[in-house]
Amino acid sequence: PEMAGRIALLGDYLQEVELTNEMPDYRILRDRYGWQFTADILEAGSELLGDGRIKMINTTGVAGQQGGISANGAIENNINCIEIISQDYGIEFNSLGVQGHGGASNSPVDYYIQFDHMAQGIEYLANTEYDYVSDLERGSEEALHKEACHLRDYLMLFYSHPKATGFLMWGFTDKEHWR
């Protein structure tokens, strides 16, 4: 009831909704209540939204590792969860959010490889949590310049992807971050 009330209140202003964040991390709930529990929650949100809106599943593990390889199999784990929830339980979504956390050794090109891998079979792709911290002295002119160059290159590569639709930053310099 609460979710339905908020959706009704926002009406046509609500065009994009994140149905879930970091689904692989729901394993505690899944272990206790099973996949059907997760599917029921996602289905309820999807039904309330109706058609014509962007329904996103936000993922983790996209951090521009060298060669586009994911850390600890995180991307593969996300893809596995998405396949289970969509194929086995029929949950429909049309957008994928990818978190873009990164540090000194992360190349925007490697992020693109990961975006492309994750974007198979979806309509829209959004970057939901961009941040970058350089390996230089925090707040130094050199670090700020390196961070600005990374952001420029990252934005150009991200928006060159044919499915890219949105970009959200969590911090634009190492002094203005969540970390």
Side-chain angles (χ1 to χ4, degrees):
E2 183 178 337
M3 189 188 309
R6 289 181 187 203
I7 289 172
L9 179 68
L10 293 169
D12 291 338
Y13 292 105
L14 187 64
Q15 293 299 312
E16 183 171 335
V17 174
E18 181 179 300
L19 293 175
T20 184
N21 186 30
E22 300 183 8
M23 197 174 354
D25 290 339
Y26 284 26
R27 64 186 161 271
I28 294 170
L29 289 174
R30 285 196 316 268
D31 289 349
R32 185 168 185 172
Y33 302 109
W35 274 101
Q36 188 61 56
F37 176 78
T38 302
D40 290 346
I41 292 171
L42 295 177
E43 183 63 27
S46 186
E47 285 176 7
L48 285 171
L49 290 169
D51 293 330
R53 300 186 200 224
I54 297 176
K55 300 168 189 172
M56 177 187 295
I57 291 184
N58 194 19
T59 63
T60 187
V62 177
Q65 294 89 350
Q66 189 173 13
I69 306 301
S70 69
N72 304 320
I75 289 177
E76 291 75 17
N77 194 15
N78 274 288
I79 290 172
N80 182 52
C81 286
I82 289 167
E83 287 174 350
I84 289 170
I85 210 70
S86 61
Q87 294 171 9
D88 295 355
Y89 291 90
I91 303 300
E92 294 183 16
F93 62 95
N94 55 4
S95 179
L96 185 67
V98 291
Q99 300 172 7
H101 301 295
S105 62
N106 306 109
S107 161
V109 172
D110 292 324
Y111 283 100
Y112 188 94
I113 294 167
Q114 292 177 328
F115 297 151
D116 201 47
H117 184 62
M118 293 288 294
Q120 302 304 310
I122 60 121
E123 212 174 329
Y124 307 106
L125 179 69
N127 187 102
T128 57
E129 300 178 16
Y130 172 84
D131 69 333
Y132 175 80
V133 178
S134 79
D135 56 345
L136 302 173
E137 180 184 339
R138 290 182 70 94
S140 69
E141 190 172 318
E142 295 82 14
L144 295 175
H145 177 74
K146 186 173 183 177
E147 291 160 4
C149 290
H150 186 275
L151 175 59
R152 177 201 62 216
D153 296 345
Y154 188 100
L155 281 168
M156 287 190 318
L157 275 168
F158 180 74
Y159 279 111
S160 71
H161 195 283
K163 295 181 179 181
T165 59
F167 186 86
L168 178 68
M169 294 177 64
W170 273 30
F172 55 93
T173 78
D174 66 359
K175 295 180 356 180
E176 304 295 335
H177 263 258
W178 64 276
R179 294 187 204 204

